[in-house]
Amino acid sequence: PVTASFLVPEETLFSNLDIFLFSLIVGLLIYWFVFRKKKEEIPEFKKLETPVPTTRETSFIEKMKKTGRNVVVFYGSQTGTGEEFANRLSKDAQRYGMRGMAADPEEYDMSELSRLPEIENSLSVFCMATYGEGDPTDNAQDFYDWLQEGDACLDGVKYTVFALGNKTYEHYNAMGKYVDKRLEELGAKRIFDLGMGDDDGNLEEDFISWREQFWPAVCEHFGVEATGEESSIRQYELVVHADMNMNKVYTGELARLKSFETQKPPFDAKNPFLASVTVNLKLNKGGDRHLMHLELDITGSKIRYESGDHVAVYPVNETAMVNQIGQILGVDLDTIFSLNNLDEESNKKHPFPCPTTYRTALTHYLDISNPPRTNVLYELAQYASDPKDQENMRKMASSSAEGKALYHSWVLDARRNILAILQDMPSLRPPIDHLCELMPRLQARYYSIASSSKVHANSIHICAVVVEYQTSTGRVNKGVATNWLKNKLPCDNGHKSTVPMYVRKSQFRLPFKVSTPVIMIGPGTGIAPFMGFIQERAWLKGKGKEVGETVLYYGCRHRNEDFLYQEELEEFERTGMITQLNVAFSRDQEHKVYVQHLLKKNKEHLWKLIHTESAHIYVCGDARNMARDVQNAFYEVAEEMGGMNRTQAVDYIKKLMTKGRYSQDVWS
């Protein structure tokens, strides 16, 4: 009986163990089977997927082969003009039996340029804008770096360059000139001369004149001839969405749908941060202008900035203008539509974020306030019912002397925007979708930051003058961004006013050594970056650092009207933070006095700072007159105090520029 009592539990114990082991083995087998299956499937799935996007994304050669293109037009563009010209040239190619594509160098592997001769009768065109102090535009930075590293062999590559710049700047068309020269050095063959576009004169006219000679040269080189197709070629087709889910419709965002509702860092040009306006003051005490100081709150954005950087803001067009365009064209502005690229291979699926409404497109995405370029007039001409209007519009887009003069007087000098043209040409009633296709994109506006992040880590200050003027046709034209900012009150009906913005780094920097003296020249709103510089030097002084001389030359019209930041500047002078405050009031006396007059007056002191103490010079403001006059004043100081002739003086100041001791932050 004892044995028996032992045996029973032993039997049950084994059977339980068997079941457990059996279950474990089955479980492991199933797990292994499923896991092994999964493991095998993943790489196969990846193998199928990955090659497609990579070839599409980086190889413009493969793309050209696949789509039968032989002309590629690259653009380096900061404000959209270079891109616009590139699109026009790639469209032109069709008229000569060639096929073109516009390309952003940032999206492609530019080392593939050496493969271009694989494509028969191929040509590369470069529309290159220069930014700031002779720098490449943001989207051409990598291409520029690649050219500089330069061991590529570009034998057999045929090219031409059109440069976009502004003569008032020191480094006029530096980027275009560099690309033109460098491509030749690497073995490429220039088939037409470098084109020079000057935005201080008439960029559009320069482009048209160059283009008129460029295409005949291409025809001669490749032995092709014009097909005679002068008709307008649509790039996009219209799709109207009848019952669209409103959650899928763009309402002003630049890239990601709903990016203004759910904000995610990092913030940049395609993903701006919505900063609330905390301060909006009128700075001037009198006069007929409105000079303003705004403060934008960047708390929680992770945005960092340094004194001298620029803040880019995305403005919106005036509601009244948008409504008037809708009225004239008899359109329901709330229609939801898309413009889809007819070229399915293009990286640019739409001209602006789609689907959207005509109201949103005209408000957020299109530039409706600047005078339109001639290609817009040329393509819209077909919609004028009066033959005389048609003829005039086509004439203005031609390179004839009469046509240029008409475009100059009727469009540019009269500052007629698209609304004014539609109002003054009642026979012109284009379809709104074609108008939207042709209008350039509304661009971000850049302002020098008027604060130091050492003092205002969570706030960015802007100082700007509101642009408003009467045209020769009696209309009042308003600057898009400054009028929009002027109306951004800190609390608007209980809502916070916000501004889409991001920070663009600049080369305008305080000296590395705090003890280095600085000479700052900034009349009018050119004072902006110097407010940041002075705040920063004061902060450093407060930390016990030995700060060098801080000299400011400021200018305005009248002491009692537009002396910007007067109280702050006088306080900085009183505490010795500004070691010398020189202010020119141009209209407070019979003879106009400007900053350059004060510079010449203080030549001994200036020369000591520059020549003996290695001071850094900073100039901010108007490029056309002020920056040039100031530079001339420095030439004179070097001549008189340094005993140099003009050539030596010019050379001396230019050397300061190359060493980074003479910096400019100027606009025209």
Side-chain angles (χ1 to χ4, degrees), residues 234-237 340-345 349:
R234 287 289 301 257
Q235 203 179 336
Y236 298 92
E237 66 173 344
N340 298 337
N341 204 324
L342 291 161
D343 170 12
E344 285 172 9
E345 287 301 320
K349 299 297 174 209

Side-chain angles (χ1 to χ4, degrees), residues 634-646:
F634 278 114
Y635 294 157
E636 285 179 37
V637 170
E639 280 177 301
E640 290 175 38
M641 301 308 301
M644 304 177 188
N645 62 32
R646 189 60 167 206

Side-chain angles (χ1 to χ4, degrees), residues 104-123:
D104 181 344
E106 200 170 30
E107 290 180 8
Y108 295 102
D109 175 2
M110 293 305 286
S111 65
E112 293 240 308
L113 201 54
S114 56
R115 290 182 56 200
L116 196 61
E118 291 174 20
I119 296 166
E120 205 184 337
N121 277 355
S122 59
L123 170 66

